[in-house]
Amino acid sequence: MKENLIKDIELQMQRVLNNKQLKQLNHVLVHAFQNVDMTVTSTNEEKEADYIALFLAAKKIEGRSEKSLKYYESTILKMTEKVGKDARYITTEDIREYLSNYQLNHKSSKVTIDNIRRILSSFFSWLEDEDYILKSPVRRIHKVKTGQSIKETYSDEELEIMRDSCTKIRDLAIIDMLASTGMRVGEMVLLNRDDVNFEERECMVFGKGDKERIVYFDARTKLHLEKYLDSRTDNNSALFTSLSAPHERLGIAGIEARLRKLGGELGIYKVHPHKFRRTLATKAIDKGMPIEQLQKLLGHQRIDTTLQYAMVKQSNVKMAHRRYIG
């Protein structure tokens, strides 16, 4: 209670005092309240809920998706409930203890813990920017070192085996679209027939945050996609539909299940839509595509994200060394 009152006083005085003066004020208040007993007469539960709601509203304006907003909300609420303090009074030690216990109790990976840390950092930085707190308690909690694992990609042989094994023209068109555009499966299932420009071999997709971008496909994809659409007898506007009546729009789960089944039949390890995206990124970098162009093609906001998708073959590193250095 004393610590909370001191923080409230410091918060009110931060506009007129510098950091050195605030530290001196803290020493004075701690000494003054040392032998004072206090009791809580009211709660700030509604106030704290308002902080989270305002933070989420700010993120929504910035273009965050509903899925991201729900993840932010649940992550922050779990932390505040576990710590048992108003967000304004949470300390660095509280956050460290929470992350440590969370990792221990949930057997979470370092990636998961760093994702939680990143969201909490965003929340408390916003509180600081809006003058609700003096300083974010996450400032002194550094990024968790997760290490870099090599992500699996499809070999050229695996891609051809999958194509040759498709018994339905729709499945072949799906594989070609994923492999040649690098689009997210969530973007593909939203496509309509009218979104595809066959003359320019391109289509407009809606990425994360409802951001539009153009993706491109190759000549083989064009031929297979046209053949698939010509074979359809339904009037559904969706680009990909179920094989059986009433031919409803194919969803993410449907595509994942179809690819998983195909991979199981062929003995190909972990066949899933996102692996096509990673394969395209790897090939593009390997063949010399500028990372900035690949970033735009994949629809990434940050170039660091693009770099995580791309692997460069060691043999090409050796040839590049000989070409540019040795």
Side-chain angles (χ1 to χ4, degrees):
M1 182 61 186
K2 294 178 186 179
E3 291 80 3
N4 294 350
L5 179 59
I6 290 172
K7 284 190 177 182
D8 284 338
I9 294 173
E10 290 174 338
L11 186 61
Q12 295 299 318
M13 296 301 294
Q14 70 173 339
R15 294 179 179 84
V16 294
L17 301 178
N18 58 37
N19 288 337
K20 185 177 180 180
Q21 291 169 329
L22 282 170
K23 287 182 179 179
Q24 184 62 34
L25 175 62
N26 178 270
H27 293 318
V28 172
L29 292 174
V30 170
H31 179 73
F33 289 124
Q34 188 172 6
N35 297 317
V36 177
D37 293 327
M38 296 182 179
T39 56
V40 178
T41 58
S42 62
T43 64
N44 289 316
E45 290 181 1
E46 293 183 2
K47 182 84 173 176
E48 181 177 350
D50 288 344
Y51 294 149
I52 298 175
L54 289 170
F55 168 73
L56 294 174
K59 289 300 174 183
K60 186 173 184 178
I61 292 172
E62 292 175 9
R64 299 297 191 274
S65 66
E66 288 298 323
K67 182 179 179 181
S68 294
L69 293 175
K70 288 180 180 178
Y71 182 46
Y72 293 166
E73 183 178 25
S74 64
T75 300
I76 297 167
L77 283 175
K78 284 178 183 177
M79 182 276 299
T80 54
E81 289 172 1
K82 193 69 176 177
V83 173
K85 290 184 180 180
D86 185 296
R88 294 173 299 169
Y89 308 128
I90 290 176
T91 65
T92 300
E93 289 68 29
D94 292 329
I95 300 295
R96 283 198 179 114
E97 184 179 0
Y98 173 74
L99 292 175
S100 178
N101 290 336
Y102 190 98
Q103 185 175 33
L104 183 64
N105 296 332
H106 295 82
K107 310 297 182 186
S108 302
S109 67
K110 291 182 179 180
V111 173
T112 299
I113 296 303
D114 195 59
N115 284 338
I116 296 173
R117 181 206 60 82
R118 179 173 47 82
I119 291 171
L120 296 181
S121 177
S122 179
F123 173 59
F124 284 105
S125 294
W126 178 84
L127 288 177
E128 180 182 340
D129 292 340
E130 296 295 322
D131 291 333
Y132 291 123
I133 60 176
L134 284 171
K135 187 171 69 173
S136 167
V138 192
R139 270 193 191 185
R140 292 187 287 125
I141 302 177
H142 303 297
K143 185 181 186 300
V144 180
K145 292 184 179 180
T146 57
Q148 288 189 339
S149 59
I150 297 177
K151 302 292 185 179
E152 293 288 337
T153 59
Y154 297 117
S155 66
D156 291 339
E157 182 180 357
E158 288 174 331
L159 288 173
E160 290 307 313
I161 290 174
M162 282 190 279
R163 289 188 177 104
D164 291 344
S165 301
C166 287
T167 58
K168 303 293 182 182
I169 186 61
R170 184 206 65 177
D171 296 344
L172 180 57
I174 286 174
I175 288 175
D176 281 337
M177 279 292 280
L178 289 171
S180 66
T181 64
M183 71 172 70
R184 302 177 179 94
V185 64
E187 296 167 344
M188 190 172 74
V189 297
L190 295 177
L191 283 174
N192 293 324
R193 302 190 200 202
D194 295 339
D195 294 327
V196 182
N197 184 334
F198 284 100
E199 185 175 344
E200 297 295 330
R201 298 211 308 260
E202 63 184 36
C203 52
M204 182 73 72
V205 299
F206 289 88
K208 290 184 177 180
D210 293 329
K211 292 182 179 179
E212 292 184 345
R213 80 175 189 285
I214 298 175
V215 297
Y216 308 94
F217 51 88
D218 57 22
R220 172 165 51 184
T221 302
K222 175 185 176 180
L223 293 174
H224 292 157
L225 190 58
E226 285 180 327
K227 186 176 179 180
Y228 161 62
L229 292 177
D230 289 341
S231 71
R232 281 173 53 179
T233 57
D234 63 89
N235 296 318
N236 197 320
S237 62
L239 183 61
F240 292 107
T241 63
S242 59
L243 295 173
S244 57
H247 303 292
E248 297 179 343
R249 181 183 294 272
L250 198 60
I252 295 175
I255 291 177
E256 289 177 339
R258 193 72 175 179
L259 292 175
R260 188 163 54 246
K261 181 180 179 182
L262 180 63
E265 292 172 350
L266 299 174
I268 299 176
Y269 181 67
K270 287 186 179 179
V271 175
H272 58 84
H274 204 74
K275 199 169 176 180
F276 289 95
R277 182 172 166 86
R278 193 160 54 237
T279 300
L280 178 136
T282 302
K283 285 186 176 181
I285 289 291
D286 193 43
K287 292 183 178 181
M289 186 176 192
I291 192 67
E292 296 84 1
Q293 293 180 16
L294 180 60
Q295 176 189 6
K296 191 172 182 64
L297 181 65
L298 296 177
H300 291 152
Q301 283 188 317
R302 300 174 58 225
I303 203 165
D304 289 350
T305 307
T306 311
L307 289 170
Q308 291 175 8
Y309 277 69
M311 297 184 303
V312 180
K313 291 181 181 177
Q314 189 62 37
S315 59
N316 283 1
V317 175
K318 182 178 181 180
M319 287 190 291
H321 181 274
R322 289 180 176 176
R323 178 181 177 185
Y324 295 108
I325 300 174

